[in-house]
Amino acid sequence: MIRWIIIGTGNAGRCHIAAIERTPAACVAGLVTADDPSRTDYPVFATLAAALKVIEADAVVIATPTNTHLALASEALYAKLPVLCEKPVGRNAQEAELLYKLSLQQNIPVGVVLNQRACVHTRWIHEQIHEGSMEPQAVTMTGGIPRFQGWMNDPEKSGGGLLRSVGIHFVDLLVWWLGLPVWLAATKAGRPIENNVSLLATFKNGCQACIHLTSINSSGRGPISICIEADGSRLKLDGHEIVLFEGCAPPPECEIRDEALTFGPGHLCVIQEASQMLLERKEFPISLAMALPSLYLLDQIYEATGSC
């Protein structure tokens, strides 16, 4: 059984706790947080160093503000603990690259929580594309989420706004499905962080993709919609679920909804697969090396559109 330390008990941290509680091959060994988590039966510590003096652990999940990821992950790697880090890993690709180099030096794996990749239907789309059963010609991703609050609204802590904190999921899905774009244009607006983002991209196979995301209003407008048009077929996803498909094989059944998994079912799959890979002493299913191309692409977009 893999004994996890969860660093951070905000929304993402609580989601990881719920995922570990639903994973037979894993357990929560302790929590590291500066806050006072309500109603927990787990040991709570102010620092990772304090936790490691008291409990035995096999790995850590980092679910804290983005500006703390590099230091916390480095501390875990020096303690010889594998790290599963919430996206976007660092405030920029340079921080992520420093962590990647340290993981190679220490020979300790680092994985990334890109939970959209872990959903049944996004994986099925990836399989259809890479098996040649579907060749997207147009992809549109649109939607709104609630306005950011707290540290996410501080560019010094978040490294950016909507694009880096949420847009990374959808930029990464495109890269995972179609490879890096051969042409890209983007605009963003908002202060102190961007809350309105539009991207246009062309991929090697000629596919045209459009992403438009907003967090202007205080309440979101529902799940992000993804429409995929291919030659003779089309799909629509609302959030992680395919809700329309035409001209293609039927997708597998979607995951059962679980209210404790606040950001969808992908977190559960991430934890289950990460725990199994650690038991088998293998690399994380989504390693930091696999995530770096999307992080570099985000930095290119920020450079092209100006700092947040």
Side-chain angles (χ1 to χ4, degrees):
M1 178 173 288
I2 299 301
R3 299 162 295 187
W4 291 93
I5 291 177
I6 310 297
I7 307 178
T9 55
N11 290 336
R14 291 193 296 272
C15 190
H16 285 295
I17 292 170
I20 292 171
E21 291 174 340
R22 288 155 174 74
T23 302
C27 67
V28 177
L31 309 177
V32 174
T33 178
D35 302 321
D36 181 18
S38 60
R39 298 177 60 187
T40 179
D41 296 326
Y42 303 115
V44 179
F45 304 90
T47 65
L48 177 58
L52 294 177
K53 290 180 180 178
V54 178
I55 60 176
E56 293 186 3
D58 301 301
V60 303
V61 173
I62 296 177
T64 53
T66 308
N67 64 314
T68 67
H69 288 182
L70 178 58
L72 288 169
S74 298
E75 183 182 359
L77 291 178
Y78 281 122
K80 302 300 182 182
L81 289 174
V83 174
L84 184 59
C85 188
E86 269 290 345
K87 53 77 190 166
V89 181
R91 291 173 293 180
N92 49 53
Q94 182 179 14
E95 290 188 354
E97 188 174 307
L98 288 172
L99 184 57
Y100 175 63
K101 291 178 179 178
L102 179 59
S103 73
L104 294 179
Q105 292 169 4
Q106 297 296 110
N107 195 29
I108 304 293
V110 175
V112 183
V113 182
L114 288 167
N115 47 293
Q116 292 295 326
R117 285 199 192 196
C119 297
V120 167
H121 283 177
T122 57
R123 285 187 169 183
W124 180 79
I125 292 169
H126 179 267
E127 291 169 2
Q128 295 298 299
I129 293 171
H130 287 264
E131 290 173 357
S133 301
M134 178 188 301
E135 186 172 359
Q137 296 301 304
V139 180
T140 304
M141 301 174 165
T142 59
I145 64 169
R147 184 186 293 272
F148 290 142
Q149 304 291 330
W151 67 266
M152 295 185 74
N153 205 39
D154 181 348
E156 289 299 316
K157 294 182 177 180
S158 63
L162 183 59
L163 176 61
R164 196 175 299 280
S165 298
V166 175
I168 182 174
H169 281 304
F170 302 98
V171 170
D172 181 71
L173 280 180
L174 288 176
V175 171
W176 186 45
W177 288 340
L178 300 167
L180 289 169
V182 296
W183 177 87
L184 186 143
T187 61
K188 59 182 178 62
R191 288 290 185 272
I193 59 170
E194 76 277 1
N195 57 20
N196 196 14
V197 176
S198 294
L199 294 91
L200 295 172
T202 302
F203 294 85
K204 187 176 180 179
N205 73 333
C207 180
Q208 303 282 313
C210 171
I211 300 177
H212 180 67
L213 303 173
T214 67
S215 59
I216 295 173
N217 296 315
S218 59
S219 60
R221 295 199 303 268
I224 306 298
S225 291
I226 302 176
C227 295
I228 302 174
E229 301 278 352
D231 187 11
S233 64
R234 69 186 184 113
L235 300 171
K236 180 182 178 184
L237 297 90
D238 281 343
H240 65 276
E241 182 177 3
I242 293 175
V243 295
L244 179 149
F245 59 94
E246 297 176 347
C248 61
E253 289 190 17
C254 192
E255 302 94 334
I256 297 173
R257 294 183 182 275
D258 187 331
E259 294 301 323
L261 300 172
T262 311
F263 303 108
H267 277 89
L268 178 58
C269 184
V270 167
I271 288 293
Q272 289 177 335
E273 292 184 346
S275 299
Q276 187 60 41
M277 292 301 98
L278 289 171
L279 286 172
E280 297 176 7
R281 299 185 181 278
K282 296 179 180 179
E283 181 59 273
F284 282 111
I286 305 175
S287 67
L288 180 51
M290 294 168 63
L292 280 173
S294 296
L295 298 175
Y296 290 134
L297 185 58
L298 279 187
D299 276 14
Q300 293 173 16
I301 296 170
Y302 274 103
E303 290 170 7
T305 56
S307 60
C308 60

Short mmCIF file of all heavy atoms in Angstrom, two decimals, residues 5-17 28 30-40 42-45 61-65 72 151 263:
data_model
loop_
_atom_site.label_atom_id
_atom_site.label_comp_id
_atom_site.label_asym_id
_atom_site.label_seq_id
_atom_site.Cartn_x
_atom_site.Cartn_y
_atom_site.Cartn_z
N ILE A 5 1.44 11.52 1.66
CA ILE A 5 1.30 12.76 2.40
C ILE A 5 0.69 13.78 1.45
O ILE A 5 1.17 13.98 0.34
CB ILE A 5 2.65 13.28 2.92
CG1 ILE A 5 3.19 12.36 4.02
CG2 ILE A 5 2.53 14.71 3.45
CD1 ILE A 5 4.57 12.77 4.54
N ILE A 6 -0.39 14.41 1.88
CA ILE A 6 -1.04 15.46 1.09
C ILE A 6 -0.55 16.81 1.61
O ILE A 6 -0.75 17.13 2.79
CB ILE A 6 -2.57 15.40 1.21
CG1 ILE A 6 -3.08 13.98 0.94
CG2 ILE A 6 -3.22 16.41 0.26
CD1 ILE A 6 -2.81 13.49 -0.44
N ILE A 7 0.08 17.59 0.75
CA ILE A 7 0.54 18.92 1.12
C ILE A 7 -0.44 19.93 0.54
O ILE A 7 -0.53 20.11 -0.67
CB ILE A 7 1.97 19.20 0.61
CG1 ILE A 7 2.92 18.09 1.06
CG2 ILE A 7 2.46 20.56 1.10
CD1 ILE A 7 4.35 18.27 0.55
N GLY A 8 -1.21 20.57 1.42
CA GLY A 8 -2.26 21.49 0.99
C GLY A 8 -3.63 20.87 1.17
O GLY A 8 -3.87 19.75 0.71
N THR A 9 -4.51 21.59 1.84
CA THR A 9 -5.85 21.05 2.11
C THR A 9 -6.95 21.97 1.59
O THR A 9 -8.04 22.04 2.15
CB THR A 9 -6.04 20.80 3.61
OG1 THR A 9 -5.77 22.02 4.34
CG2 THR A 9 -5.12 19.70 4.11
N GLY A 10 -6.66 22.70 0.52
CA GLY A 10 -7.70 23.48 -0.15
C GLY A 10 -8.56 22.58 -1.02
O GLY A 10 -8.64 21.37 -0.80
N ASN A 11 -9.21 23.16 -2.03
CA ASN A 11 -10.12 22.38 -2.87
C ASN A 11 -9.42 21.20 -3.53
O ASN A 11 -9.93 20.08 -3.54
CB ASN A 11 -10.74 23.29 -3.93
CG ASN A 11 -11.73 24.28 -3.34
OD1 ASN A 11 -12.29 24.03 -2.28
ND2 ASN A 11 -11.95 25.39 -4.03
N ALA A 12 -8.23 21.46 -4.10
CA ALA A 12 -7.51 20.38 -4.78
C ALA A 12 -7.04 19.33 -3.78
O ALA A 12 -7.13 18.13 -4.04
CB ALA A 12 -6.33 20.95 -5.57
N GLY A 13 -6.52 19.77 -2.63
CA GLY A 13 -6.05 18.83 -1.62
C GLY A 13 -7.17 17.93 -1.13
O GLY A 13 -6.98 16.71 -0.97
N ARG A 14 -8.34 18.51 -0.88
CA ARG A 14 -9.47 17.69 -0.42
C ARG A 14 -9.91 16.69 -1.49
O ARG A 14 -10.34 15.58 -1.16
CB ARG A 14 -10.63 18.60 -0.02
CG ARG A 14 -10.36 19.41 1.24
CD ARG A 14 -11.64 20.05 1.77
NE ARG A 14 -12.20 21.02 0.87
CZ ARG A 14 -11.87 22.31 0.85
NH1 ARG A 14 -10.97 22.78 1.70
NH2 ARG A 14 -12.45 23.15 0.01
N CYS A 15 -9.79 17.08 -2.74
CA CYS A 15 -10.13 16.17 -3.82
C CYS A 15 -9.17 14.98 -3.83
O CYS A 15 -9.58 13.83 -4.03
CB CYS A 15 -10.08 16.92 -5.15
SG CYS A 15 -10.74 15.99 -6.55
N HIS A 16 -7.89 15.23 -3.59
CA HIS A 16 -6.91 14.15 -3.55
C HIS A 16 -7.14 13.25 -2.33
O HIS A 16 -6.97 12.02 -2.42
CB HIS A 16 -5.50 14.71 -3.53
CG HIS A 16 -5.06 15.23 -4.86
ND1 HIS A 16 -4.89 14.41 -5.96
CD2 HIS A 16 -4.77 16.48 -5.28
CE1 HIS A 16 -4.51 15.14 -6.99
NE2 HIS A 16 -4.44 16.40 -6.61
N ILE A 17 -7.52 13.83 -1.23
CA ILE A 17 -7.85 13.01 -0.05
C ILE A 17 -8.99 12.05 -0.39
O ILE A 17 -8.92 10.85 -0.10
CB ILE A 17 -8.22 13.90 1.15
CG1 ILE A 17 -6.99 14.68 1.63
CG2 ILE A 17 -8.78 13.05 2.29
CD1 ILE A 17 -7.32 15.76 2.65
N VAL A 28 -3.96 7.73 3.19
CA VAL A 28 -3.45 9.03 3.59
C VAL A 28 -2.64 8.85 4.86
O VAL A 28 -3.18 8.46 5.91
CB VAL A 28 -4.59 10.04 3.83
CG1 VAL A 28 -4.03 11.38 4.31
CG2 VAL A 28 -5.41 10.24 2.55
N GLY A 30 -0.74 11.40 6.21
CA GLY A 30 -0.78 12.64 6.96
C GLY A 30 -1.01 13.82 6.04
O GLY A 30 -0.93 13.71 4.81
N LEU A 31 -1.33 14.96 6.65
CA LEU A 31 -1.58 16.20 5.93
C LEU A 31 -0.57 17.25 6.37
O LEU A 31 -0.24 17.35 7.55
CB LEU A 31 -2.99 16.71 6.22
CG LEU A 31 -4.15 15.72 6.05
CD1 LEU A 31 -5.46 16.38 6.47
CD2 LEU A 31 -4.22 15.21 4.62
N VAL A 32 -0.11 18.03 5.40
CA VAL A 32 0.76 19.17 5.69
C VAL A 32 0.03 20.43 5.25
O VAL A 32 -0.33 20.56 4.07
CB VAL A 32 2.11 19.06 4.97
CG1 VAL A 32 2.93 20.33 5.16
CG2 VAL A 32 2.89 17.85 5.46
N THR A 33 -0.23 21.33 6.18
CA THR A 33 -0.99 22.53 5.86
C THR A 33 -0.73 23.62 6.88
O THR A 33 -0.48 23.33 8.06
CB THR A 33 -2.50 22.22 5.79
OG1 THR A 33 -3.23 23.43 5.53
CG2 THR A 33 -3.00 21.61 7.10
N ALA A 34 -0.78 24.85 6.41
CA ALA A 34 -0.68 25.99 7.31
C ALA A 34 -2.04 26.33 7.91
O ALA A 34 -2.13 27.10 8.87
CB ALA A 34 -0.12 27.20 6.57
N ASP A 35 -3.08 25.75 7.34
CA ASP A 35 -4.44 26.01 7.81
C ASP A 35 -4.85 24.95 8.84
O ASP A 35 -4.11 24.01 9.12
CB ASP A 35 -5.42 25.99 6.64
CG ASP A 35 -5.06 27.02 5.59
OD1 ASP A 35 -4.64 28.13 5.98
OD2 ASP A 35 -5.16 26.71 4.39
N ASP A 36 -6.03 25.10 9.36
CA ASP A 36 -6.59 24.14 10.31
C ASP A 36 -7.69 23.37 9.59
O ASP A 36 -8.83 23.83 9.53
CB ASP A 36 -7.15 24.84 11.54
CG ASP A 36 -7.71 23.86 12.55
OD1 ASP A 36 -7.37 22.67 12.46
OD2 ASP A 36 -8.49 24.28 13.42
N PRO A 37 -7.36 22.21 9.00
CA PRO A 37 -8.38 21.48 8.24
C PRO A 37 -9.50 21.00 9.15
O PRO A 37 -9.26 20.48 10.24
CB PRO A 37 -7.60 20.30 7.64
CG PRO A 37 -6.44 20.10 8.55
CD PRO A 37 -6.09 21.48 9.07
N SER A 38 -10.71 21.19 8.71
CA SER A 38 -11.85 20.81 9.54
C SER A 38 -12.15 19.32 9.41
O SER A 38 -12.00 18.73 8.35
CB SER A 38 -13.08 21.62 9.13
OG SER A 38 -13.40 21.38 7.78
N ARG A 39 -12.52 18.71 10.52
CA ARG A 39 -13.02 17.34 10.56
C ARG A 39 -12.10 16.37 9.84
O ARG A 39 -12.47 15.72 8.87
CB ARG A 39 -14.41 17.28 9.93
CG ARG A 39 -15.45 18.13 10.68
CD ARG A 39 -16.78 18.08 9.98
NE ARG A 39 -17.30 16.72 9.90
CZ ARG A 39 -18.39 16.37 9.21
NH1 ARG A 39 -19.06 17.29 8.54
NH2 ARG A 39 -18.80 15.12 9.20
N THR A 40 -10.87 16.24 10.30
CA THR A 40 -9.97 15.27 9.71
C THR A 40 -9.52 14.27 10.77
O THR A 40 -9.30 14.63 11.92
CB THR A 40 -8.74 15.95 9.09
OG1 THR A 40 -7.88 14.94 8.56
CG2 THR A 40 -7.96 16.76 10.11
N TYR A 42 -6.83 12.48 10.12
CA TYR A 42 -5.44 12.23 9.77
C TYR A 42 -4.50 13.13 10.57
O TYR A 42 -4.88 14.25 10.95
CB TYR A 42 -5.24 12.47 8.27
CG TYR A 42 -6.14 11.63 7.41
CD1 TYR A 42 -7.12 12.21 6.61
CD2 TYR A 42 -6.03 10.24 7.41
CE1 TYR A 42 -7.96 11.44 5.83
CE2 TYR A 42 -6.88 9.45 6.64
CZ TYR A 42 -7.84 10.06 5.85
OH TYR A 42 -8.67 9.29 5.08
N PRO A 43 -3.26 12.68 10.81
CA PRO A 43 -2.28 13.54 11.46
C PRO A 43 -2.02 14.80 10.63
O PRO A 43 -1.94 14.71 9.40
CB PRO A 43 -1.02 12.66 11.54
CG PRO A 43 -1.49 11.27 11.32
CD PRO A 43 -2.72 11.34 10.49
N VAL A 44 -1.92 15.93 11.28
CA VAL A 44 -1.72 17.21 10.60
C VAL A 44 -0.41 17.83 11.07
O VAL A 44 -0.11 17.85 12.27
CB VAL A 44 -2.88 18.19 10.89
CG1 VAL A 44 -2.65 19.52 10.19
CG2 VAL A 44 -4.20 17.56 10.45
N PHE A 45 0.38 18.35 10.11
CA PHE A 45 1.68 18.92 10.41
C PHE A 45 1.82 20.27 9.70
O PHE A 45 1.21 20.51 8.66
CB PHE A 45 2.80 17.98 9.94
CG PHE A 45 2.70 16.60 10.50
CD1 PHE A 45 1.99 15.61 9.84
CD2 PHE A 45 3.29 16.29 11.72
CE1 PHE A 45 1.88 14.33 10.36
CE2 PHE A 45 3.19 15.02 12.25
CZ PHE A 45 2.49 14.03 11.58
N VAL A 61 1.66 14.26 -2.47
CA VAL A 61 0.87 15.05 -3.42
C VAL A 61 1.01 16.51 -3.03
O VAL A 61 0.82 16.86 -1.86
CB VAL A 61 -0.63 14.66 -3.38
CG1 VAL A 61 -1.44 15.62 -4.25
CG2 VAL A 61 -0.83 13.24 -3.86
N ILE A 62 1.36 17.35 -3.98
CA ILE A 62 1.48 18.78 -3.72
C ILE A 62 0.28 19.49 -4.32
O ILE A 62 0.07 19.48 -5.54
CB ILE A 62 2.79 19.35 -4.28
CG1 ILE A 62 3.97 18.70 -3.55
CG2 ILE A 62 2.84 20.86 -4.16
CD1 ILE A 62 5.32 19.12 -4.06
N ALA A 63 -0.53 20.11 -3.46
CA ALA A 63 -1.76 20.80 -3.88
C ALA A 63 -1.83 22.14 -3.18
O ALA A 63 -2.81 22.46 -2.49
CB ALA A 63 -2.97 19.94 -3.56
N THR A 64 -0.79 22.93 -3.35
CA THR A 64 -0.64 24.23 -2.72
C THR A 64 -0.56 25.31 -3.80
O THR A 64 -0.52 24.99 -5.00
CB THR A 64 0.64 24.25 -1.87
OG1 THR A 64 1.74 23.83 -2.70
CG2 THR A 64 0.53 23.33 -0.68
N PRO A 65 -0.51 26.61 -3.42
CA PRO A 65 -0.34 27.65 -4.43
C PRO A 65 0.89 27.40 -5.32
O PRO A 65 1.90 26.86 -4.87
CB PRO A 65 -0.18 28.92 -3.59
CG PRO A 65 -0.99 28.64 -2.36
CD PRO A 65 -0.77 27.19 -2.08
N LEU A 72 8.62 22.96 -2.39
CA LEU A 72 8.07 21.80 -1.71
C LEU A 72 8.44 20.51 -2.42
O LEU A 72 8.80 19.50 -1.77
CB LEU A 72 6.55 21.93 -1.61
CG LEU A 72 6.02 22.96 -0.63
CD1 LEU A 72 4.52 23.16 -0.82
CD2 LEU A 72 6.33 22.57 0.81
N TRP A 151 -5.31 33.49 -3.57
CA TRP A 151 -3.98 33.47 -4.16
C TRP A 151 -4.01 33.31 -5.68
O TRP A 151 -3.09 33.76 -6.37
CB TRP A 151 -3.14 32.34 -3.55
CG TRP A 151 -3.61 30.95 -3.88
CD1 TRP A 151 -4.44 30.16 -3.16
CD2 TRP A 151 -3.24 30.18 -5.04
NE1 TRP A 151 -4.63 28.95 -3.78
CE2 TRP A 151 -3.91 28.93 -4.93
CE3 TRP A 151 -2.44 30.42 -6.14
CZ2 TRP A 151 -3.78 27.93 -5.90
CZ3 TRP A 151 -2.31 29.42 -7.11
CH2 TRP A 151 -2.96 28.20 -6.98
N PHE A 263 -13.44 18.17 -9.00
CA PHE A 263 -13.01 18.56 -10.35
C PHE A 263 -13.18 17.42 -11.35
O PHE A 263 -12.49 17.38 -12.37
CB PHE A 263 -11.56 19.04 -10.31
CG PHE A 263 -11.35 20.18 -9.36
CD1 PHE A 263 -10.67 19.99 -8.17
CD2 PHE A 263 -11.86 21.44 -9.63
CE1 PHE A 263 -10.48 21.04 -7.27
CE2 PHE A 263 -11.69 22.49 -8.75
CZ PHE A 263 -11.00 22.29 -7.57
#
